[in-house]
Amino acid sequence: MSHRILLRGGRVITMDPAIGDLDTGDVLIEDGKIVAVEPTIEADAEVVDATGRIVIPGFVDTHRHTWETAIRGVAPNATLDDYFVEILDTFAPLYRPEDVYSSNLAGSLECLNAGITTLVDWSHINNTPDHPDAGVKALQETGIRAQYAYGSANTSLAAYWFDSSIAIPGDDVRRIRNAHFSSDDQLLTMGLATRGTGFCQDEVVKTEWALARELNIPITVHVAMGRMAGRFGMVKALSTMDLLGPDTTFIHCCYLNEEEWQLLADSGGTVSIAPQVEVQMGHGWPPTAKTLEYGLRPSFSIDVVTTVPGDMFTQMRAAFGADRARTNAIWWEKNEPAQGLLTHRQMLEAATINGAHVAGLESRTGSLTPGKRADVVLIDATAINMAPIHDPVAAVVLCADVSNVEAVLVDGQWRKRDFKLVADVANARTLVENSRDHLLAEAARKARETAAA
């Protein structure tokens, strides 16, 4: 027997240009699929009164190191250079599989609480074969839609990030693919999180790209950020090795030159931008406008909760403010009125439909389109920080925060309702706090041993 949910009477922002926005509209969901979006729908269904709510597709986070949830906020003032030492060289080697599990559990619940229904989990913490199993298990239990991007181990900064000769273990990637991702139609899919040129020797890069293409899984890689990679010419190097392709997402891209932007665009690759991290940690200006200039579709991501908040509202505002500040400064120097400024709707596009495109899931999610899966968020527009509503898109992008996320559906299943997660939040918090205590104690012990040596 089919299960129907009718969201009635909300302000509907579909992110589908063929449907547009509805000042008052209904969304009908049947067995996890959106079947109709119209001004008025009559159906035998569970009716949910969406009056006073803004109904949007779920946000898509195209790059988050979810395993770092247990060390949230430990590096508030870090630059990217600091991050490599304070996080990857200090905490990452200490992670047990249970710490990855607790972090992915709490981190994906954090996503759902904030209206993020799809996550690319960039998991470069696979120190043993048990680590990826733990990360995938947590994602499965929360019911989030996710791409699990299998990354390298991180037991030594020198071994894994400075001209590394160690490739991601192909046999274990194949094992995880067969064990957890036998179908590409399920809620969880798989990718490969590779370090790329500059960080790895060329043969490692070729081996990892070949592995992903053997398994027909997408590739995701950080490029052109800060002092760590801003001068590596990573996209050019990949082009020289004939490795560019439409299956690759390039993260950050802050210091790509014009030749590399053109190579990226010509390859059909995609872009993930982490605006708050980039302006805060010294990666460079978020290249939102540059991505659009080359006919690409920018998406947004959180990156690391060690240093920035884990919600998409922050990312939309960071990108909006940063690029308008950059552009306005250029036009101030010309002493002319500013032109070509980004718009608030473009920010919502980057956080929803573009994100689905970048994650390879646009046919399933990212817009409230009949036929797509029901990944839907209801935002309380009656709250004092939201009312009165003039422009619902502006209200979501510039006014809303996590406290306004009233309900979240993923694949037609309630994951948050009446402002509360449908999950054992207390257990997740206890587990991740236990991991915090373990990691801090181990880091302190390691520091004492180093000082005594």
Side-chain angles (χ1 to χ4, degrees), residues 7 9 13 28 84 86 98 114 126 150 201 209 241 243 247 250 252 276 278 285 289 291 334 359 383 425:
L7 307 177
I13 303 172
L28 180 62
F84 272 76
E86 295 176 15
E98 54 262 50
N126 292 323
Y150 189 119
Q201 294 176 10
W209 251 256
M241 288 188 275
L243 294 178
D247 57 355
F250 297 90
H252 299 310
Q276 184 67 38
E278 288 156 8
W285 285 113
T291 306
K334 295 180 179 182
V425 176

Side-chain angles (χ1 to χ4, degrees), residues 150-187:
Y150 189 119
S152 70
N154 257 305
T155 55
S156 163
L157 188 64
Y160 283 96
W161 288 98
F162 293 102
D163 198 31
S164 179
S165 62
I166 306 172
I168 293 171
D171 286 347
D172 200 55
V173 175
R174 294 183 188 94
R175 177 185 68 83
I176 291 294
R177 171 76 156 144
N178 292 331
H180 301 293
F181 303 100
S182 57
S183 169
D184 292 326
D185 295 328
Q186 60 196 44
L187 201 60

